[in-house]
Amino acid sequence: MATEKTIPFESIEGMFNRLGEDWHTSEYYISPDRPLPRDTSGLIFRPAFYGFFLCVEGWMDLKINHKLIHVEPYHIFALSPDSIFQRIEESPDCKGRGLFFTKDFLLKNIVSLHQLESFRFFTKNEDSCIQLNKEDAEPLLQLYDILK
């Protein structure tokens, strides 16, 4: 039986550099709209930052905090610091749009600590995946294009 390896990521820059992405800041990351790196399936990650991922094509099975989640187009899931994330399997055409950011980035630019802590989507004990329909996902896809 293989031993599972958990990879802690102290920075966004470190994580994406490890995944072969040349990223210039450790405060935020906006992912390209292309297939996910295949060599990370099965690895267990423990990010030190927040993130959203919106599936736009294909499907993915993953675990967040040991809970199995099936993600299809227009499903969005969240990661928070110290959550445990593992991609189990995905379709060859799986693509998504991700936005990752540090707590400091949010506090400097967007929200107060109280607002951030009250956002239940990032709470470990809450469901971290929401199924949207195409109509509800469209404003998020447009926002991603603006941010990119």
Side-chain angles (χ1 to χ4, degrees):
M1 177 188 238
T3 304
E4 292 182 334
K5 182 178 180 184
T6 301
I7 301 171
F9 285 109
E10 297 302 320
S11 74
I12 294 168
E13 183 179 27
M15 181 172 106
F16 287 99
N17 285 339
R18 176 179 162 75
L19 299 177
E21 295 286 332
D22 183 26
W23 194 247
H24 56 280
T25 179
S26 60
E27 288 195 332
Y28 68 92
Y29 176 82
I30 302 168
S31 71
D33 190 11
R34 65 176 183 224
L36 303 170
R38 298 289 175 228
D39 61 342
T40 61
S41 287
L43 294 176
I44 300 171
F45 297 98
R46 187 181 295 268
F49 43 83
Y50 295 90
F52 288 107
F53 182 86
L54 176 62
C55 182
V56 295
E57 287 183 41
W59 58 268
M60 178 186 342
D61 289 333
L62 54 99
K63 285 184 183 178
I64 299 178
N65 298 322
H66 307 290
K67 181 179 178 185
L68 187 61
I69 297 172
H70 181 75
V71 178
E72 295 180 349
Y74 311 119
H75 288 194
I76 185 170
F77 67 85
L79 297 173
S80 61
D82 299 320
S83 59
I84 299 169
F85 170 76
Q86 181 181 23
R87 284 182 27 220
I88 305 298
E89 185 179 11
E90 63 273 329
S91 64
D93 62 339
C94 186
K95 291 182 184 176
R97 297 180 178 185
L99 176 62
F100 303 89
F101 43 87
T102 65
K103 184 177 190 175
D104 288 342
F105 178 79
L106 281 181
L107 295 176
K108 281 192 306 189
N109 297 292
I110 301 170
V111 299
S112 71
L113 183 59
H114 176 71
Q115 290 170 317
L116 179 60
E117 290 176 347
S118 67
F119 193 41
R120 296 177 61 101
F121 199 48
F122 288 122
T123 304
K124 279 180 112 171
N125 297 325
E126 295 297 321
D127 193 0
S128 58
C129 186
I130 298 174
Q131 181 178 351
L132 303 173
N133 59 40
K134 186 175 181 176
E135 182 179 290
D136 291 336
E138 195 59 40
L140 293 175
L141 295 169
Q142 290 172 358
L143 180 60
Y144 171 87
D145 288 336
I146 291 167
L147 292 171
K148 189 172 57 168

